[in-house]
Amino acid sequence: MSAHDLEEVRRHMDRLAADGIDVVRVTYPDLIGTDRARDVLLDELPRACEHGLAFCRAVYHTSPQGDVVPVSGGLDAGLPDICVRPDLDTLVPLPWEPGVAACLGEVVDPATGAPAPESPRDLLRAVLARCAEHGLRPVVGPELEYFLCDPDPSGGWRRYAPGPGVVYTAGLRADPDNHLLRTLRHVRDLKVRAISGNHEFDGGQIEINLAHSDAVSAADRSFRFKAAIKELARKEGRLATFMAKPFNDAGGSGFHLHLSCDDEQGRNTFDDPSGPYGLSATARHAVAGVLAHAPALAALLNPTVNSYKRFGPDTLAPWLIDWGLDNRSAMVRIPPERGSGARLELRLGDASANPYLAIAATTAAALLGVLAGEEPPAPLEGYGYDTARSAVLPQTLSAALDALEADTALTDLLGKGFTTSFLSYKRDEVERFHRHVTDWEFTEYAYHL
């Protein structure tokens, strides 16, 4: 670390100390978008910045149940380290944790100094670098939904305030404990640029929208937002889950992405008043690319076994590969704004998706569409979900993983090292699910067979 860098760290330390902060939490996303972290005492921050924090690389290959999946570069390599250095430009005090500030971490392979192949943040940067080669700067607006749950006296969890008919409402009718107001204020202070929030379709389900920004910032803010929501729920003795479909008698939670691209002068390249539908050729080609690569995108935007239980007719979750003008039954919706607001909304993703991978994959598919220069089919008119008009998305995680592996144009752009690791990790998840005896099976078979 140079003397200049050390002086910059000291300036950060002085500001933190003046604010009563004595711990810095360094976080980074794993392969599924969960936050991994270490708390660093403020006096040790220079050492952490100079030498980095050592983590086992297999954290990327560790399942939610704590099993280390045999992915290349992990167990077979003797469980080597990755090195995580604090990104002090992302420092922000945690509003609900006195004396603690958090920052993101930069992840590198200590043997090579290059980014770790599985690092989601670096994968997104690599895709954006390819976009920049063609004069495109993606702008992304994330929308995320989650379910809030209370402890159930009989064990497990039940939906918080599960009253019906609360979609697009705010206030005590559906939020008797004012969870949403507290949460909005905390995430505002976390500087993730939350705009607004409301109750969603199902009782206990909440949506909070984040501002549009460049793609890395959008992913960073989505990642920190999801971690914050889960942490704030724990502070209340509750569980917040971004699981795609946690309850049989309720809908699922989405992760909608609004995408446009600016040129090098900051002009929205998707707008063209003289073009069909008021969209430029770039926008139409981007839509065509997203449609063409949709089966593979499903693996990254719907990344769990549970994700595919959210799909289906009349769910307002995409079921078919189609697009429409201000049509929420389509997989790709074109909102009515034009000019600087011209954009596409990809409604495919569910809330369990890793924000970095979801945004990287979507921008990669859009770029491939722009490079191919093809036009999309005619937009959907009326209510969708007609299989005679449009192809069906993969209906299982296994099918989506096969589609991802087969889509060599997309995997070449995402990188073979990442794709191989992701496929190995997720296929292990599918295999473990198929071996597991579920409550449904016991209820269905045990008494009669």
Side-chain angles (χ1 to χ4, degrees), residues 131-431:
C131 291
E133 291 173 4
H134 300 279
L136 298 175
R137 303 176 187 276
V139 175
V140 177
E143 295 180 1
L144 279 154
E145 299 169 343
Y146 64 95
F147 276 95
L148 185 67
C149 304
D150 281 325
D152 192 305
S154 62
W157 299 93
R158 56 182 172 81
R159 277 174 286 166
Y160 163 75
V166 294
V167 64
Y168 294 149
T169 63
L172 297 177
R173 178 158 64 97
D175 185 13
D177 193 37
N178 268 331
H179 162 84
L180 177 56
L181 284 180
R182 282 194 305 275
T183 300
L184 269 178
R185 288 167 176 150
H186 278 314
V187 295
R188 172 199 64 197
D189 295 342
L190 189 63
K191 311 299 184 188
V192 298
R193 297 181 62 198
I195 299 173
S196 61
N198 57 266
H199 308 296
E200 253 301 330
F201 192 87
D202 288 290
Q205 189 182 36
I206 293 168
E207 178 180 53
I208 294 180
N209 297 331
L210 305 181
H212 288 65
S213 72
D214 69 88
V216 171
S217 172
D220 285 345
R221 292 182 294 108
S222 299
F223 166 65
R224 300 181 90 165
F225 168 80
K226 291 178 72 173
I229 293 297
K230 290 182 280 188
E231 194 77 354
L232 288 165
R234 292 185 181 101
K235 293 278 284 187
E236 297 177 357
R238 296 183 166 113
L239 172 72
T241 181
F242 291 89
M243 183 177 171
K245 187 176 171 63
F247 301 103
N248 281 314
D249 62 345
S253 291
F255 183 6
H256 299 165
L257 292 174
H258 293 251
L259 173 69
S260 61
C261 286
D262 286 350
D263 63 18
E264 293 172 341
Q265 286 73 45
R267 295 179 298 236
N268 187 338
T269 66
F270 279 17
D271 180 60
D272 182 357
S274 65
Y277 322 113
L279 299 174
S280 69
T282 299
R284 300 192 308 273
H285 299 334
V287 170
V290 171
L291 297 177
H293 297 281
L297 290 180
L300 294 156
L301 281 86
N302 309 106
T304 72
V305 169
N306 174 258
S307 294
Y308 297 82
K309 297 176 182 179
R310 169 178 165 265
F311 287 168
D314 303 320
T315 62
L316 288 183
W319 189 48
L320 305 179
I321 302 171
D322 52 14
W323 75 292
L325 303 174
D326 198 14
N327 191 329
R328 283 181 169 82
S329 66
M331 187 191 80
V332 177
R333 168 180 171 255
I334 305 298
E337 294 89 349
R338 294 296 182 266
S340 62
R343 64 193 187 276
L344 66 83
E345 178 193 11
L346 179 59
R347 299 173 60 82
L348 172 62
D350 69 65
S352 68
N354 181 329
Y356 296 95
L357 303 186
I359 294 173
T362 303
T363 54
L367 175 62
L368 290 170
V370 171
L371 297 180
E374 295 182 355
E375 293 285 334
L380 170 69
E381 294 184 5
Y383 196 53
Y385 309 118
D386 181 356
T387 57
R389 291 192 291 183
S390 302
V392 179
L393 283 159
Q395 295 299 291
T396 65
L397 179 57
S398 291
L401 294 172
D402 289 345
L404 176 62
E405 185 173 30
D407 192 335
T408 54
L410 186 66
T411 58
D412 284 348
L413 192 49
L414 296 176
K416 292 297 186 184
F418 162 78
T419 304
T420 300
S421 294
F422 183 83
L423 289 171
S424 298
Y425 181 87
K426 283 294 172 178
R427 281 178 170 147
D428 177 85
E429 178 180 327
V430 173
E431 181 182 349

